Amino acid sequence: DDADIAVTLAPPLLLWLASPHGHPLCAGRYELMGGTSGNGRESVHPSLHVASPHGQNGCEGPYELVKGTSGNGHPVWKHVDSDKFLYTGSTGKWHVGGRDVKDKNFQCSLGFISSKERHDGVLPDSVKSWTRHDGNNHVDDADITVTLAPPSFWLASPHGQKTCEGQYELLKGTTGNGHPVWKHVNSEIFLYSSLNHKWQVGGKDVKDKHFRCNAGYITSKERHDGASPDSVRLWTRHDGANHVDDADIAVTLAPPLLLWLASPHGHPLCAGRYELMGGTSGNGRPVWKHVD
């Protein structure tokens, strides 16, 4: 046994520091210094996705980080197709607001959708309670979600439905029932959210139905309630007759291009940098090769 062997992801390219009560010169965006390592906290996600199935549908969709812009010391994301902004208001809550909040330089607390409580530095995808304006007041809405929209996933299904295995990439500008959709890089197979709020892996027929269906070769066993596909722990697959539980199906974030292995107490030739071998898999999983 060697507890000091570690395989880690390459460090995040971007971190964000907020210090609303002092040392304002320290607040803002921090970029990775190549060749230098350090410890950090939660990284700012470049892309988020808002789903609001019961109202304020104009706020739904993908949001991209606005570089060089902050709202009350925190990052700001903009809807990719409209002037909607996900920002921190002056009361410390996350809001989804319109062009007027940008015109106020985000010095306000206005939103079609708002976090129920102050976030205290927690990023939007970790907030669990949201409200939406129903025309008169803000009402609680447990089905509003802000989730990560990773650019790609990797799916492994070693015991069946193997045509679904492989890499899936985000379809920008496409949603399924208010949630993002990913497409297999080599075929017409889609990872989408169905009408019954489950993640499904389906074929061209689900796309032809604009994802307004509950069809899938592979399906999450339970409702996802806004959780990203890589957070699902139990999947089912169709075996030709029924959907059966399959604990070995896994949806993971697309494999990182780079891993680093440290082995300070032995086998030094194994230590160092490993790069992803594109198009190569081992038992349904990605493979990395030592490069030094």
Side-chain angles (χ1 to χ4, degrees):
D1 294 352
D2 191 335
D4 290 326
I5 293 175
V7 178
T8 59
L9 296 176
L13 298 177
L14 176 68
L15 292 172
W16 190 280
L17 188 149
S19 181
H21 305 307
H23 293 290
L25 294 180
C26 297
R29 189 175 65 157
Y30 287 71
E31 294 186 351
L32 178 68
M33 295 178 63
T36 301
S37 62
N39 295 319
R41 298 193 70 182
E42 195 172 13
S43 62
V44 176
H45 310 299
S47 300
L48 295 172
H49 195 281
V50 173
S52 180
H54 305 308
Q56 297 294 356
N57 304 115
C59 297
E60 289 190 312
Y63 287 70
E64 298 288 339
L65 183 69
V66 182
K67 293 182 179 180
T69 299
S70 64
N72 298 294
H74 294 274
V76 175
W77 293 261
K78 180 184 179 297
H79 195 291
V80 297
D81 295 320
S82 66
D83 279 334
K84 297 284 196 314
F85 298 88
L86 176 53
Y87 76 103
T88 292
S90 53
T91 59
K93 296 182 179 182
W94 291 112
H95 300 281
V96 179
R99 179 62 184 268
D100 56 327
V101 303
K102 182 185 179 185
D103 292 342
K104 298 176 189 291
N105 293 321
F106 306 106
Q107 295 300 304
C108 57
S109 294
L110 303 173
F112 307 111
I113 292 172
S114 301
S115 59
K116 190 171 182 178
E117 309 292 344
R118 287 171 51 96
H119 60 70
D120 295 325
V122 172
L123 290 176
D125 60 290
S126 296
V127 172
K128 301 306 180 188
S129 299
W130 296 88
T131 68
R132 62 177 167 79
H133 203 273
D134 66 357
N136 296 307
N137 303 290
H138 269 271
V139 295
D140 293 352
D141 190 333
D143 288 327
I144 292 174
T145 58
V146 178
T147 57
L148 301 182
S152 54
F153 284 116
W154 185 280
L155 188 150
S157 180
H159 306 308
Q161 298 293 356
K162 296 185 73 64
T163 57
C164 297
E165 287 193 315
Q167 189 166 341
Y168 290 72
E169 293 187 349
L170 181 68
L171 284 177
K172 292 186 177 181
T174 301
T175 60
N177 304 297
H179 294 274
V181 176
W182 294 263
K183 180 185 178 296
H184 195 289
V185 295
N186 294 322
S187 62
E188 290 288 303
I189 298 177
F190 301 87
L191 174 55
Y192 76 103
S193 179
S194 59
L195 286 171
N196 60 6
H197 303 286
K198 294 183 177 182
W199 290 115
Q200 308 252 12
V201 179
K204 187 175 184 300
D205 56 323
V206 303
K207 180 186 178 184
D208 293 342
K209 294 175 182 176
H210 303 287
F211 306 106
R212 303 291 295 172
C213 57
N214 295 312
Y217 310 117
I218 292 173
T219 303
S220 60
K221 188 167 185 179
E222 307 293 342
R223 286 170 50 107
H224 58 69
D225 294 326
S228 183
D230 60 300
S231 299
V232 173
R233 294 293 172 257
L234 186 56
W235 296 84
T236 69
R237 61 176 168 80
H238 203 274
D239 66 357
N242 302 291
H243 270 272
V244 296
D245 293 354
D246 190 333
D248 289 325
I249 292 174
V251 176
T252 58
L253 292 177
L257 298 177
L258 178 67
L259 292 175
W260 189 276
L261 190 149
S263 181
H265 305 309
H267 291 289
L269 294 180
C270 296
R273 189 175 64 166
Y274 287 72
E275 291 187 352
L276 180 69
M277 297 180 65
T280 300
S281 64
N283 302 299
R285 307 286 180 164
V287 176
W288 292 262
K289 180 181 183 295
H290 195 285
V291 296
D292 295 322

